Amino acid sequence: MSQSSDTQKATASAWFEDLRDQICAAFEALEDELSADIAATLPIADELRDMPPGRFQRKAWTRVEGDPAAGGGGVMSIMRGRLFEKVGVNVSTVWGEFPKDFAGQIQGAESDPRFWASGVSLVAHMRSPLVPAVHMNTRHIVTTKSWFGGGTDLTPMVPDETDTRTFHRALEAACDKHDPEYYARFKAWCDEYFFLKHRNEPRGVGGIFYDQLNTGSWDADFAFTRDVGLAFLDAYLPVVRRHMAEPWTPEQRQHQLVRRGRYVEFNLLYDRGTSFGLKTGGNVEAILMSLPPEVAWP
Amino acid sequence: MSQSSDTQKATASAWFEDLRDQICAAFEALEDELSADIAATLPIADELRDMPPGRFQRKAWTRVEGDPAAGGGGVMSIMRGRLFEKVGVNVSTVWGEFPKDFAGQIQGAESDPRFWASGVSLVAHMRSPLVPAVHMNTRHIVTTKSWFGGGTDLTPMVPDETDTRTFHRALEAACDKHDPEYYARFKAWCDEYFFLKHRNEPRGVGGIFYDQLNTGSWDADFAFTRDVGLAFLDAYLPVVRRHMAEPWTPEQRQHQLVRRGRYVEFNLLYDRGTSFGLKTGGNVEAILMSLPPEVAWP
């Protein structure tokens, strides 16, 4: 079948929400692990040492009410903690009609602009310049065709070979369970996508990225997408734990703020999800939750 | 004549450099006016109190050497002072051929992609959240047609009616010397251009903006463009002087960092000069000099 059934859509949406819950729980557990004793050794502001471990706050939003071309909504989860300076996890399930000038650019929407889309997306910016920032997204899109997409990529401020290997191996293992060619293909796609052309430099050390995945088996593609979401935790949590107790210098912090500028440049200049969302009247607060809390272009 | 002569091009380029010199001198004089006595009363870091008044540093750049489609270059002038947190003034004179996919979007370049362009552009970000940020640009572009463009707009963090009136009146006076309809037309154009559609909010309190100005008299259009450049100083300097000695609160500074985020969003999402420059292989450092030194998306 080229179109997903209502049951498949509901199943995918429910999974994205379930993954969100697993990730939020894992991130809150990391906040707990950064004990007051460890926090006391880190170069953070006094008011942060005394704060309790961070917890996610949730905020629901809906698309324009009464507009048949714009239905659904989502939930933003945001945490500002001792370890996570700012992490946003958005789930959304939206449907309606693509604006005419966009419909022609979307697979399967050329003749019929109606769409349904559901997904979870996450960006984490850490207080420590030694703990990499990270992005993860998985999504299911339905037009007259239907497909899955997703991926995750790591953005260290100071690249570390062990971290890069840890991150990539977890993704490779998830890919290999499904297709021996997936990892190489989706790693290359990630390197190509997360690239700042104007600076001729990659955003970070990569990961995997895939889009328009439809092998003919909805079950297989959904199973792969679930495994990518779960592999994200296997890929990222060990990297965080390896560095979360390491103190840093003011120079390292300043370097982090400058590198975050590159993140902003990428998201506003190149990221298709960002420009697409902003130009189609998406929820601005949810879309721009990915921007870092403090940034410098010195 | 629809094309500018070599003498006209050289005259315009020389004027943009002269205006740059006048502006840099006026801004350095403001740095001197912020005496150590005043600095001692402001909530700035200790190391700033003891620094000498800021001075511009210049750095020249050239377009790709040996490429006949990309000639010329420019000079960046940047100052990081006690009053001016970061101010960049760029002059550039470049020529070559527009890439094919751009040529069709540029007046007079549809059939012949060759162009010549010269201009001066400036963005100032101030330490004080009570002193507005400002942008000014004037330019002369030649394809098979030729025209002038430019403008200036004020971005206060806390709008102040007196400042807005001072700024606009100086621009109105300059416009009125040339055409009784210019001010109203170019003010409306500015409001339309410097608008963040995704947030449904203006970037600041406006100013004037004009493009593709060719009345048939090169001399008249150049005289107007010169007057816009000079009016910028009449418009902005009194606003700076009115607020430069006022102390501010940490809350006002934080508000400034957040408002600067809107500036980044505008420049990377909407500004034609920025996206055009980055996509045609312009000088990244010069183009992104407009980005604020410290920014927050909390």
Side-chain angles (χ1 to χ4, degrees):
Chain A
M1 109 188 56
S2 68
Q3 257 264 16
S4 299
S5 68
D6 287 345
T7 306
Q8 288 171 331
K9 290 178 186 172
T11 303
S13 283
W15 160 254
F16 295 134
E17 290 176 16
D18 186 45
L19 179 62
R20 182 265 320 269
D21 293 342
Q22 291 188 53
I23 290 170
C24 288
F27 282 5
E28 290 184 351
L30 284 175
E31 277 285 316
D32 293 336
E33 285 179 42
L34 190 84
S35 64
D37 286 353
I38 297 173
T41 67
L42 298 178
I44 55 179
D46 286 343
E47 60 269 28
L48 289 173
R49 294 185 208 290
D50 303 329
M51 74 179 276
R55 288 294 178 260
F56 278 95
Q57 304 284 326
R58 291 194 179 179
K59 186 172 171 183
W61 55 273
T62 50
R63 293 183 89 212
V64 186
E65 312 223 3
D67 179 353
V75 177
M76 293 177 269
S77 301
I78 188 158
M79 177 166 73
R80 296 177 182 88
R82 295 195 295 211
L83 172 63
F84 289 87
E85 190 172 337
K86 178 183 173 190
V87 50
V89 191
N90 288 310
V91 290
S92 65
T93 300
V94 297
W95 56 87
E97 294 186 9
F98 285 124
K100 281 213 179 70
D101 47 334
F102 274 110
Q105 303 169 30
I106 309 288
Q107 183 178 245
E110 302 86 353
S111 54
D112 180 345
R114 288 176 298 170
F115 75 96
W116 176 96
S118 182
V120 56
S121 73
L122 167 165
V123 173
H125 297 286
M126 315 304 283
R127 287 196 191 279
S128 169
L130 306 177
V131 181
V134 77
H135 155 261
M136 190 280 301
N137 165 247
T138 54
R139 58 194 176 272
H140 183 36
I141 315 272
V142 183
T143 59
T144 61
K145 302 191 173 179
S146 95
W147 66 92
F148 287 89
T152 175
D153 72 300
L154 192 72
T155 308
M157 310 303 150
V158 185
D160 172 307
E161 274 193 32
T162 307
D163 293 344
T164 304
R165 210 178 309 123
T166 299
F167 191 78
H168 276 275
R169 282 199 177 156
L171 302 177
E172 186 172 16
C175 288
D176 286 352
K177 282 171 60 183
H178 296 269
D179 188 314
E181 294 182 358
Y182 273 2
Y183 174 68
R185 204 172 122 207
F186 298 156
K187 176 185 188 298
W189 200 340
C190 185
D191 288 341
E192 190 194 332
Y193 183 77
F194 292 106
F195 191 80
L196 284 79
K197 290 181 201 73
H198 64 291
R199 293 192 182 272
N200 195 33
E201 66 182 42
R203 172 161 102 167
V205 297
I208 60 170
F209 181 93
Y210 65 103
D211 202 0
Q212 306 191 330
L213 181 70
N214 184 339
T215 62
S217 165
W218 189 92
D219 288 342
D221 299 340
F222 179 48
F224 172 65
T225 295
R226 287 200 310 274
D227 278 343
V228 168
L230 295 172
F232 161 72
L233 288 172
D234 295 335
Y236 187 55
L237 300 184
V239 171
V240 176
R241 288 198 172 95
R242 190 174 292 136
H243 300 288
M244 61 191 271
E246 295 171 358
W248 60 87
T249 66
E251 291 71 26
Q252 288 171 322
R253 173 69 181 176
Q254 178 63 17
H255 176 69
Q256 178 190 41
L257 300 185
V258 172
R259 294 306 307 171
R260 283 178 174 177
R262 305 288 202 269
Y263 215 89
V264 175
E265 290 173 24
F266 181 85
N267 282 17
L268 297 183
L269 288 171
Y270 300 112
D271 189 60
R272 287 195 289 251
T274 301
S275 60
F276 184 85
L278 293 177
K279 287 173 186 177
T280 55
N283 184 282
V284 175
E285 197 180 345
I287 295 164
L288 296 184
M289 193 182 280
S290 64
L291 298 180
E294 283 183 34
V295 189
W297 284 273
Chain B
M1 112 187 53
S2 68
Q3 257 262 18
S4 299
S5 69
D6 286 348
T7 306
Q8 287 170 332
K9 289 178 186 172
T11 303
S13 283
W15 160 253
F16 295 134
E17 289 175 18
D18 185 45
L19 179 63
R20 182 264 322 271
D21 293 343
Q22 292 189 52
I23 291 171
C24 288
F27 283 5
E28 290 183 351
L30 283 177
E31 277 285 315
D32 293 337
E33 285 179 42
L34 190 85
S35 65
D37 286 352
I38 298 173
T41 68
L42 298 179
I44 56 179
D46 286 343
E47 60 269 28
L48 289 173
R49 294 185 207 289
D50 303 330
M51 74 180 275
R55 288 294 177 259
F56 277 95
Q57 304 284 325
R58 292 194 178 179
K59 187 173 172 183
W61 55 273
T62 50
R63 294 184 86 211
V64 186
E65 312 222 3
D67 179 353
V75 178
M76 294 177 270
S77 301
I78 188 159
M79 177 167 72
R80 296 177 182 87
R82 296 195 295 208
L83 171 64
F84 288 87
E85 190 171 338
K86 179 183 171 190
V87 50
V89 190
N90 287 311
V91 290
S92 65
T93 300
V94 299
W95 57 86
E97 294 185 8
F98 286 124
K100 280 215 179 66
D101 46 337
F102 275 110
Q105 303 168 31
I106 309 289
Q107 183 179 244
E110 303 84 353
S111 56
D112 181 345
R114 288 177 298 170
F115 74 96
W116 177 96
S118 182
V120 55
S121 72
L122 167 165
V123 173
H125 297 287
M126 314 304 283
R127 288 198 190 279
S128 168
L130 305 178
V131 181
V134 77
H135 154 262
M136 189 282 298
N137 166 246
T138 54
R139 57 192 177 276
H140 182 36
I141 316 273
V142 182
T143 59
T144 61
K145 302 193 173 178
S146 95
W147 66 92
F148 287 89
T152 175
D153 73 299
L154 191 73
T155 309
M157 310 304 151
V158 184
D160 171 308
E161 274 193 33
T162 307
D163 293 344
T164 303
R165 210 177 310 124
T166 300
F167 191 78
H168 275 275
R169 283 200 177 156
L171 301 177
E172 187 174 14
C175 288
D176 286 352
K177 280 171 60 183
H178 295 269
D179 188 312
E181 293 182 359
Y182 274 2
Y183 174 69
R185 202 172 124 208
F186 298 157
K187 176 185 187 299
W189 200 340
C190 184
D191 288 341
E192 189 195 332
Y193 183 77
F194 292 106
F195 190 80
L196 285 79
K197 290 182 200 72
H198 64 291
R199 294 192 182 271
N200 195 33
E201 66 183 41
R203 172 161 101 167
V205 297
I208 60 170
F209 181 92
Y210 65 102
D211 203 1
Q212 305 191 331
L213 182 70
N214 185 338
T215 61
S217 164
W218 189 92
D219 288 340
D221 298 342
F222 179 48
F224 172 64
T225 294
R226 287 200 311 274
D227 278 342
V228 168
L230 295 173
F232 161 72
L233 289 172
D234 295 334
Y236 187 55
L237 299 184
V239 171
V240 176
R241 289 200 172 96
R242 189 174 292 137
H243 299 288
M244 61 192 274
E246 295 171 356
W248 59 87
T249 66
E251 291 70 27
Q252 288 172 323
R253 172 69 180 176
Q254 178 63 18
H255 176 69
Q256 178 189 39
L257 300 184
V258 172
R259 293 306 308 173
R260 284 178 175 176
R262 304 288 201 271
Y263 215 89
V264 175
E265 291 173 22
F266 181 84
N267 282 17
L268 298 182
L269 288 170
Y270 300 111
D271 189 60
R272 288 196 289 252
T274 302
S275 60
F276 185 85
L278 293 177
K279 287 173 184 176
T280 55
N283 184 283
V284 175
E285 198 181 345
I287 296 164
L288 296 184
M289 192 182 280
S290 64
L291 298 179
E294 284 184 35
V295 189
W297 283 274

